[in-house]
mmCIF file of all heavy atoms in Angstrom:
data_model
loop_
_atom_site.group_PDB
_atom_site.id
_atom_site.type_symbol
_atom_site.label_atom_id
_atom_site.label_comp_id
_atom_site.label_asym_id
_atom_site.label_seq_id
_atom_site.Cartn_x
_atom_site.Cartn_y
_atom_site.Cartn_z
ATOM 1 N N PHE A 494 214.208 196.162 84.832
ATOM 2 C CA PHE A 494 213.124 196.813 85.576
ATOM 3 C C PHE A 494 213.340 198.320 85.515
ATOM 4 O O PHE A 494 214.349 198.836 85.995
ATOM 5 C CB PHE A 494 213.117 196.348 87.036
ATOM 6 C CG PHE A 494 211.882 196.755 87.794
ATOM 7 C CD1 PHE A 494 210.859 195.846 87.991
ATOM 8 C CD2 PHE A 494 211.736 198.032 88.299
ATOM 9 C CE1 PHE A 494 209.715 196.206 88.682
ATOM 10 C CE2 PHE A 494 210.600 198.414 88.984
ATOM 11 C CZ PHE A 494 209.586 197.492 89.182
ATOM 12 N N HIS A 495 212.398 199.031 84.929
ATOM 13 C CA HIS A 495 212.557 200.481 84.774
ATOM 14 C C HIS A 495 211.198 201.156 84.779
ATOM 15 O O HIS A 495 210.270 200.721 84.101
ATOM 16 C CB HIS A 495 213.282 200.814 83.471
ATOM 17 C CG HIS A 495 213.385 202.283 83.200
ATOM 18 N ND1 HIS A 495 214.108 203.138 83.993
ATOM 19 C CD2 HIS A 495 212.841 203.055 82.223
ATOM 20 C CE1 HIS A 495 214.018 204.368 83.517
ATOM 21 N NE2 HIS A 495 213.257 204.347 82.448
ATOM 22 N N SER A 496 211.091 202.232 85.571
ATOM 23 C CA SER A 496 209.862 203.010 85.609
ATOM 24 C C SER A 496 210.223 204.464 85.833
ATOM 25 O O SER A 496 210.957 204.801 86.760
ATOM 26 C CB SER A 496 208.935 202.537 86.732
ATOM 27 O OG SER A 496 207.856 203.426 86.894
ATOM 28 N N ASN A 497 209.698 205.351 85.005
ATOM 29 C CA ASN A 497 209.987 206.782 85.130
ATOM 30 C C ASN A 497 209.379 207.389 86.381
ATOM 31 O O ASN A 497 209.741 208.489 86.792
ATOM 32 C CB ASN A 497 209.473 207.543 83.908
ATOM 33 C CG ASN A 497 210.557 207.699 82.852
ATOM 34 O OD1 ASN A 497 211.734 207.560 83.145
ATOM 35 N ND2 ASN A 497 210.143 207.972 81.628
ATOM 36 N N THR A 498 208.444 206.691 87.011
ATOM 37 C CA THR A 498 207.827 207.232 88.217
ATOM 38 C C THR A 498 208.809 207.247 89.374
ATOM 39 O O THR A 498 208.564 207.886 90.380
ATOM 40 C CB THR A 498 206.612 206.378 88.613
ATOM 41 O OG1 THR A 498 207.041 205.027 88.834
ATOM 42 C CG2 THR A 498 205.565 206.408 87.537
ATOM 43 N N ASN A 499 209.933 206.538 89.225
ATOM 44 C CA ASN A 499 210.881 206.459 90.326
ATOM 45 C C ASN A 499 212.253 206.997 89.949
ATOM 46 O O ASN A 499 213.236 206.724 90.616
ATOM 47 C CB ASN A 499 211.024 205.006 90.791
ATOM 48 C CG ASN A 499 209.746 204.488 91.408
ATOM 49 O OD1 ASN A 499 209.257 205.021 92.379
ATOM 50 N ND2 ASN A 499 209.197 203.441 90.816
ATOM 51 N N THR A 500 212.351 207.736 88.859
ATOM 52 C CA THR A 500 213.628 208.324 88.476
ATOM 53 C C THR A 500 213.496 209.827 88.436
ATOM 54 O O THR A 500 212.443 210.370 88.078
ATOM 55 C CB THR A 500 214.083 207.818 87.092
ATOM 56 O OG1 THR A 500 213.049 208.091 86.151
ATOM 57 C CG2 THR A 500 214.375 206.337 87.114
ATOM 58 N N GLN A 501 214.551 210.511 88.817
ATOM 59 C CA GLN A 501 214.540 211.965 88.807
ATOM 60 C C GLN A 501 214.984 212.460 87.439
ATOM 61 O O GLN A 501 216.086 212.175 86.995
ATOM 62 C CB GLN A 501 215.479 212.505 89.890
ATOM 63 C CG GLN A 501 215.018 212.168 91.306
ATOM 64 C CD GLN A 501 215.972 212.737 92.327
ATOM 65 O OE1 GLN A 501 217.039 213.229 91.977
ATOM 66 N NE2 GLN A 501 215.583 212.670 93.584
ATOM 67 N N ASN A 502 214.132 213.174 86.782
ATOM 68 C CA ASN A 502 214.435 213.714 85.466
ATOM 69 C C ASN A 502 214.352 215.242 85.540
ATOM 70 O O ASN A 502 213.277 215.810 85.730
ATOM 71 C CB ASN A 502 213.444 213.175 84.426
ATOM 72 C CG ASN A 502 213.900 213.469 83.007
ATOM 73 O OD1 ASN A 502 214.741 214.334 82.772
ATOM 74 N ND2 ASN A 502 213.320 212.735 82.068
ATOM 75 N N LEU A 503 215.509 215.907 85.473
ATOM 76 C CA LEU A 503 215.548 217.353 85.604
ATOM 77 C C LEU A 503 214.886 218.046 84.427
ATOM 78 O O LEU A 503 214.551 219.221 84.500
ATOM 79 C CB LEU A 503 217.008 217.818 85.754
ATOM 80 C CG LEU A 503 217.733 217.263 86.990
ATOM 81 C CD1 LEU A 503 219.166 217.779 87.013
ATOM 82 C CD2 LEU A 503 216.999 217.650 88.270
ATOM 83 N N ASN A 504 214.717 217.312 83.349
ATOM 84 C CA ASN A 504 214.073 217.893 82.174
ATOM 85 C C ASN A 504 212.874 217.029 81.798
ATOM 86 O O ASN A 504 212.997 216.085 81.026
ATOM 87 C CB ASN A 504 215.064 217.971 81.009
ATOM 88 C CG ASN A 504 214.455 218.663 79.791
ATOM 89 O OD1 ASN A 504 213.322 219.151 79.841
ATOM 90 N ND2 ASN A 504 215.216 218.692 78.713
ATOM 91 N N PRO A 505 211.706 217.318 82.375
ATOM 92 C CA PRO A 505 210.530 216.468 82.132
ATOM 93 C C PRO A 505 210.147 216.381 80.667
ATOM 94 O O PRO A 505 209.482 215.436 80.252
ATOM 95 C CB PRO A 505 209.427 217.148 82.956
ATOM 96 C CG PRO A 505 210.158 218.010 83.946
ATOM 97 C CD PRO A 505 211.411 218.446 83.254
ATOM 98 N N SER A 506 210.528 217.347 79.862
ATOM 99 C CA SER A 506 210.145 217.324 78.451
ATOM 100 C C SER A 506 210.963 216.328 77.657
ATOM 101 O O SER A 506 210.619 215.973 76.532
ATOM 102 C CB SER A 506 210.313 218.717 77.841
ATOM 103 O OG SER A 506 211.681 219.109 77.871
ATOM 104 N N LYS A 507 212.079 215.871 78.251
ATOM 105 C CA LYS A 507 212.932 214.911 77.546
ATOM 106 C C LYS A 507 212.342 213.513 77.671
ATOM 107 O O LYS A 507 212.155 213.004 78.763
ATOM 108 C CB LYS A 507 214.348 214.940 78.125
ATOM 109 C CG LYS A 507 215.295 213.987 77.407
ATOM 110 C CD LYS A 507 216.693 214.047 78.018
ATOM 111 C CE LYS A 507 217.628 213.073 77.322
ATOM 112 N NZ LYS A 507 218.985 213.094 77.915
ATOM 113 N N LYS A 508 212.073 212.864 76.588
ATOM 114 C CA LYS A 508 211.464 211.539 76.589
ATOM 115 C C LYS A 508 212.525 210.474 76.825
ATOM 116 O O LYS A 508 213.567 210.465 76.177
ATOM 117 C CB LYS A 508 210.748 211.284 75.262
ATOM 118 C CG LYS A 508 210.028 209.944 75.228
ATOM 119 C CD LYS A 508 209.309 209.751 73.912
ATOM 120 C CE LYS A 508 208.596 208.412 73.874
ATOM 121 N NZ LYS A 508 207.899 208.206 72.586
ATOM 122 N N ASP A 509 212.234 209.596 77.788
ATOM 123 C CA ASP A 509 213.146 208.492 78.080
ATOM 124 C C ASP A 509 212.926 207.400 77.037
ATOM 125 O O ASP A 509 211.828 206.884 76.887
ATOM 126 C CB ASP A 509 212.862 207.948 79.481
ATOM 127 C CG ASP A 509 213.975 207.034 79.967
ATOM 128 O OD1 ASP A 509 214.744 206.539 79.120
ATOM 129 O OD2 ASP A 509 214.065 206.827 81.185
ATOM 130 N N GLU A 510 213.955 207.042 76.324
ATOM 131 C CA GLU A 510 213.806 206.052 75.258
ATOM 132 C C GLU A 510 213.809 204.623 75.780
ATOM 133 O O GLU A 510 213.570 203.684 75.019
ATOM 134 C CB GLU A 510 214.935 206.231 74.236
ATOM 135 C CG GLU A 510 214.881 207.567 73.501
ATOM 136 C CD GLU A 510 215.988 207.697 72.472
ATOM 137 O OE1 GLU A 510 216.839 206.778 72.415
ATOM 138 O OE2 GLU A 510 215.997 208.686 71.731
ATOM 139 N N LEU A 511 214.111 204.423 77.064
ATOM 140 C CA LEU A 511 214.122 203.079 77.619
ATOM 141 C C LEU A 511 212.689 202.577 77.786
ATOM 142 O O LEU A 511 211.771 203.341 78.057
ATOM 143 C CB LEU A 511 214.837 203.060 78.974
ATOM 144 C CG LEU A 511 216.279 203.568 78.995
ATOM 145 C CD1 LEU A 511 216.854 203.443 80.391
ATOM 146 C CD2 LEU A 511 217.138 202.803 77.999
ATOM 147 N N ALA A 512 212.536 201.278 77.639
ATOM 148 C CA ALA A 512 211.221 200.669 77.832
ATOM 149 C C ALA A 512 210.808 200.818 79.287
ATOM 150 O O ALA A 512 211.608 200.571 80.192
ATOM 151 C CB ALA A 512 211.271 199.196 77.441
ATOM 152 N N GLU A 513 209.566 201.226 79.524
ATOM 153 C CA GLU A 513 209.069 201.416 80.881
ATOM 154 C C GLU A 513 208.266 200.194 81.290
ATOM 155 O O GLU A 513 207.189 199.942 80.770
ATOM 156 C CB GLU A 513 208.199 202.667 80.958
ATOM 157 C CG GLU A 513 208.957 203.943 80.709
ATOM 158 C CD GLU A 513 208.074 205.170 80.851
ATOM 159 O OE1 GLU A 513 207.210 205.163 81.749
ATOM 160 O OE2 GLU A 513 208.229 206.106 80.057
ATOM 161 N N GLY A 514 208.811 199.437 82.225
ATOM 162 C CA GLY A 514 208.173 198.225 82.693
ATOM 163 C C GLY A 514 209.216 197.239 83.176
ATOM 164 O O GLY A 514 210.316 197.619 83.581
ATOM 165 N N LEU A 515 208.880 195.952 83.144
ATOM 166 C CA LEU A 515 209.846 194.922 83.526
ATOM 167 C C LEU A 515 209.936 193.891 82.415
ATOM 168 O O LEU A 515 208.981 193.679 81.658
ATOM 169 C CB LEU A 515 209.485 194.267 84.859
ATOM 170 C CG LEU A 515 208.209 193.421 84.983
ATOM 171 C CD1 LEU A 515 208.476 191.978 84.570
ATOM 172 C CD2 LEU A 515 207.706 193.434 86.411
ATOM 173 N N GLY A 516 211.086 193.262 82.312
ATOM 174 C CA GLY A 516 211.262 192.309 81.224
ATOM 175 C C GLY A 516 212.448 191.396 81.416
ATOM 176 O O GLY A 516 213.187 191.475 82.409
ATOM 177 N N PHE A 517 212.622 190.537 80.423
ATOM 178 C CA PHE A 517 213.714 189.562 80.398
ATOM 179 C C PHE A 517 214.249 189.491 78.973
ATOM 180 O O PHE A 517 213.475 189.447 78.015
ATOM 181 C CB PHE A 517 213.227 188.172 80.822
ATOM 182 C CG PHE A 517 212.762 188.080 82.246
ATOM 183 C CD1 PHE A 517 211.492 188.487 82.597
ATOM 184 C CD2 PHE A 517 213.595 187.582 83.232
ATOM 185 C CE1 PHE A 517 211.044 188.404 83.901
ATOM 186 C CE2 PHE A 517 213.166 187.492 84.547
ATOM 187 C CZ PHE A 517 211.891 187.902 84.880
ATOM 188 N N GLY A 518 215.575 189.468 78.842
ATOM 189 C CA GLY A 518 216.196 189.284 77.535
ATOM 190 C C GLY A 518 216.020 190.489 76.625
ATOM 191 O O GLY A 518 215.480 191.530 77.007
ATOM 192 N N GLY A 519 216.504 190.361 75.385
ATOM 193 C CA GLY A 519 216.366 191.428 74.405
ATOM 194 C C GLY A 519 217.263 192.616 74.699
ATOM 195 O O GLY A 519 218.401 192.468 75.152
ATOM 196 N N THR A 520 216.736 193.817 74.485
ATOM 197 C CA THR A 520 217.475 195.055 74.723
ATOM 198 C C THR A 520 216.666 195.947 75.659
ATOM 199 O O THR A 520 215.494 195.669 75.946
ATOM 200 C CB THR A 520 217.728 195.803 73.401
ATOM 201 O OG1 THR A 520 216.473 196.277 72.880
ATOM 202 C CG2 THR A 520 218.391 194.889 72.374
ATOM 203 N N VAL A 521 217.294 197.043 76.106
ATOM 204 C CA VAL A 521 216.611 197.942 77.041
ATOM 205 C C VAL A 521 215.448 198.668 76.371
ATOM 206 O O VAL A 521 214.595 199.244 77.055
ATOM 207 C CB VAL A 521 217.601 198.967 77.639
ATOM 208 C CG1 VAL A 521 218.611 198.275 78.528
ATOM 209 C CG2 VAL A 521 218.298 199.760 76.534
ATOM 210 N N ARG A 522 215.413 198.693 75.043
ATOM 211 C CA ARG A 522 214.295 199.315 74.331
ATOM 212 C C ARG A 522 213.216 198.307 73.959
ATOM 213 O O ARG A 522 212.038 198.635 73.933
ATOM 214 C CB ARG A 522 214.803 200.040 73.087
ATOM 215 C CG ARG A 522 215.615 201.294 73.421
ATOM 216 C CD ARG A 522 216.219 201.928 72.179
ATOM 217 N NE ARG A 522 216.892 203.187 72.513
ATOM 218 C CZ ARG A 522 218.101 203.258 73.053
ATOM 219 N NH1 ARG A 522 218.779 202.143 73.317
ATOM 220 N NH2 ARG A 522 218.652 204.427 73.338
ATOM 221 N N THR A 523 213.633 197.077 73.674
ATOM 222 C CA THR A 523 212.672 196.020 73.319
ATOM 223 C C THR A 523 213.079 194.715 73.995
ATOM 224 O O THR A 523 213.693 193.849 73.367
ATOM 225 C CB THR A 523 212.610 195.815 71.792
ATOM 226 O OG1 THR A 523 213.949 195.539 71.309
ATOM 227 C CG2 THR A 523 212.035 197.024 71.093
ATOM 228 N N PRO A 524 212.776 194.566 75.290
ATOM 229 C CA PRO A 524 213.053 193.280 75.950
ATOM 230 C C PRO A 524 212.306 192.142 75.270
ATOM 231 O O PRO A 524 211.241 192.347 74.670
ATOM 232 C CB PRO A 524 212.548 193.504 77.379
ATOM 233 C CG PRO A 524 212.575 194.990 77.561
ATOM 234 C CD PRO A 524 212.225 195.554 76.213
ATOM 235 N N ARG A 525 212.857 190.957 75.376
ATOM 236 C CA ARG A 525 212.234 189.813 74.697
ATOM 237 C C ARG A 525 210.873 189.476 75.306
ATOM 238 O O ARG A 525 209.894 189.248 74.587
ATOM 239 C CB ARG A 525 213.156 188.594 74.782
ATOM 240 C CG ARG A 525 212.539 187.364 74.127
ATOM 241 C CD ARG A 525 213.498 186.226 74.049
ATOM 242 N NE ARG A 525 212.885 185.040 73.485
ATOM 243 C CZ ARG A 525 213.500 183.887 73.331
ATOM 244 N NH1 ARG A 525 214.776 183.768 73.689
ATOM 245 N NH2 ARG A 525 212.872 182.851 72.814
ATOM 246 N N LEU A 526 210.804 189.377 76.635
ATOM 247 C CA LEU A 526 209.531 189.218 77.331
ATOM 248 C C LEU A 526 209.333 190.483 78.154
ATOM 249 O O LEU A 526 210.134 190.789 79.040
ATOM 250 C CB LEU A 526 209.543 187.984 78.241
ATOM 251 C CG LEU A 526 208.289 187.773 79.105
ATOM 252 C CD1 LEU A 526 207.067 187.537 78.238
ATOM 253 C CD2 LEU A 526 208.481 186.599 80.063
ATOM 254 N N PHE A 527 208.280 191.234 77.853
ATOM 255 C CA PHE A 527 208.143 192.567 78.443
ATOM 256 C C PHE A 527 206.716 192.818 78.906
ATOM 257 O O PHE A 527 205.747 192.511 78.208
ATOM 258 C CB PHE A 527 208.544 193.634 77.419
ATOM 259 C CG PHE A 527 208.426 195.033 77.922
ATOM 260 C CD1 PHE A 527 209.277 195.507 78.900
ATOM 261 C CD2 PHE A 527 207.442 195.879 77.413
ATOM 262 C CE1 PHE A 527 209.161 196.809 79.377
ATOM 263 C CE2 PHE A 527 207.320 197.187 77.878
ATOM 264 C CZ PHE A 527 208.183 197.649 78.866
ATOM 265 N N ILE A 528 206.592 193.420 80.097
ATOM 266 C CA ILE A 528 205.314 193.857 80.656
ATOM 267 C C ILE A 528 205.377 195.362 80.809
ATOM 268 O O ILE A 528 206.284 195.886 81.475
ATOM 269 C CB ILE A 528 205.049 193.205 82.027
ATOM 270 C CG1 ILE A 528 205.005 191.682 81.885
ATOM 271 C CG2 ILE A 528 203.758 193.722 82.629
ATOM 272 C CD1 ILE A 528 204.969 190.965 83.206
ATOM 273 N N ASP A 529 204.443 196.084 80.198
ATOM 274 C CA ASP A 529 204.508 197.545 80.255
ATOM 275 C C ASP A 529 204.135 198.052 81.644
ATOM 276 O O ASP A 529 203.576 197.334 82.471
ATOM 277 C CB ASP A 529 203.632 198.169 79.171
ATOM 278 C CG ASP A 529 202.144 197.979 79.416
ATOM 279 O OD1 ASP A 529 201.781 197.386 80.448
ATOM 280 O OD2 ASP A 529 201.347 198.419 78.583
ATOM 281 N N CYS A 530 204.460 199.327 81.892
ATOM 282 C CA CYS A 530 204.279 199.902 83.226
ATOM 283 C C CYS A 530 202.812 200.096 83.591
ATOM 284 O O CYS A 530 202.505 200.438 84.738
ATOM 285 C CB CYS A 530 205.036 201.222 83.347
ATOM 286 S SG CYS A 530 204.493 202.495 82.174
ATOM 287 N N HIS A 531 201.903 199.897 82.649
ATOM 288 C CA HIS A 531 200.469 199.970 82.938
ATOM 289 C C HIS A 531 199.873 198.597 83.243
ATOM 290 O O HIS A 531 198.681 198.502 83.555
ATOM 291 C CB HIS A 531 199.730 200.604 81.755
ATOM 292 C CG HIS A 531 200.243 201.954 81.369
ATOM 293 N ND1 HIS A 531 200.130 203.059 82.183
ATOM 294 C CD2 HIS A 531 200.916 202.373 80.255
ATOM 295 C CE1 HIS A 531 200.685 204.105 81.588
ATOM 296 N NE2 HIS A 531 201.168 203.721 80.419
ATOM 297 N N LEU A 532 200.696 197.557 83.129
ATOM 298 C CA LEU A 532 200.266 196.168 83.367
ATOM 299 C C LEU A 532 199.098 195.795 82.458
ATOM 300 O O LEU A 532 198.193 195.055 82.862
ATOM 301 C CB LEU A 532 199.880 195.949 84.836
ATOM 302 C CG LEU A 532 200.926 196.323 85.888
ATOM 303 C CD1 LEU A 532 200.447 195.929 87.281
ATOM 304 C CD2 LEU A 532 202.271 195.664 85.601
ATOM 305 N N GLU A 533 199.128 196.298 81.252
ATOM 306 C CA GLU A 533 198.045 196.014 80.310
ATOM 307 C C GLU A 533 198.478 195.064 79.210
ATOM 308 O O GLU A 533 197.717 194.186 78.816
ATOM 309 C CB GLU A 533 197.540 197.318 79.685
ATOM 310 C CG GLU A 533 196.858 198.252 80.670
ATOM 311 C CD GLU A 533 196.395 199.533 80.013
ATOM 312 O OE1 GLU A 533 196.753 199.749 78.827
ATOM 313 O OE2 GLU A 533 195.682 200.323 80.667
ATOM 314 N N GLU A 534 199.696 195.247 78.698
ATOM 315 C CA GLU A 534 200.153 194.435 77.574
ATOM 316 C C GLU A 534 201.423 193.674 77.914
ATOM 317 O O GLU A 534 202.258 194.141 78.692
ATOM 318 C CB GLU A 534 200.410 195.311 76.343
ATOM 319 C CG GLU A 534 199.154 195.817 75.676
ATOM 320 C CD GLU A 534 199.446 196.536 74.376
ATOM 321 O OE1 GLU A 534 200.637 196.858 74.116
ATOM 322 O OE2 GLU A 534 198.501 196.763 73.610
ATOM 323 N N CYS A 535 201.535 192.516 77.303
ATOM 324 C CA CYS A 535 202.744 191.700 77.406
ATOM 325 C C CYS A 535 203.233 191.432 75.989
ATOM 326 O O CYS A 535 202.468 190.955 75.141
ATOM 327 C CB CYS A 535 202.449 190.387 78.132
ATOM 328 S SG CYS A 535 203.776 189.178 78.051
ATOM 329 N N ARG A 536 204.486 191.760 75.732
ATOM 330 C CA ARG A 536 205.074 191.511 74.416
ATOM 331 C C ARG A 536 206.116 190.411 74.544
ATOM 332 O O ARG A 536 206.943 190.420 75.464
ATOM 333 C CB ARG A 536 205.697 192.795 73.853
ATOM 334 C CG ARG A 536 204.685 193.886 73.587
ATOM 335 C CD ARG A 536 205.264 194.970 72.676
ATOM 336 N NE ARG A 536 206.414 195.627 73.277
ATOM 337 C CZ ARG A 536 206.340 196.687 74.071
ATOM 338 N NH1 ARG A 536 205.151 197.185 74.390
ATOM 339 N NH2 ARG A 536 207.430 197.247 74.549
ATOM 340 N N ALA A 537 206.090 189.484 73.610
ATOM 341 C CA ALA A 537 207.020 188.345 73.647
ATOM 342 C C ALA A 537 207.541 188.089 72.243
ATOM 343 O O ALA A 537 206.785 188.147 71.269
ATOM 344 C CB ALA A 537 206.318 187.099 74.184
#
Side-chain angles (χ1 to χ4, degrees):
F494 191 100
H495 176 65
S496 171
N497 267 341
T498 59
N499 294 301
T500 56
Q501 295 181 351
N502 192 342
L503 299 179
N504 184 4
S506 63
K507 181 180 179 181
K508 183 179 180 181
D509 194 340
E510 295 182 355
L511 303 182
E513 294 182 38
L515 66 86
F517 295 81
T520 68
V521 293
R522 290 175 175 79
T523 56
R525 178 173 177 182
L526 176 63
F527 179 69
I528 300 171
D529 69 2
C530 61
H531 304 294
L532 305 185
E533 294 179 352
E534 287 187 347
C535 169
R536 296 196 298 272

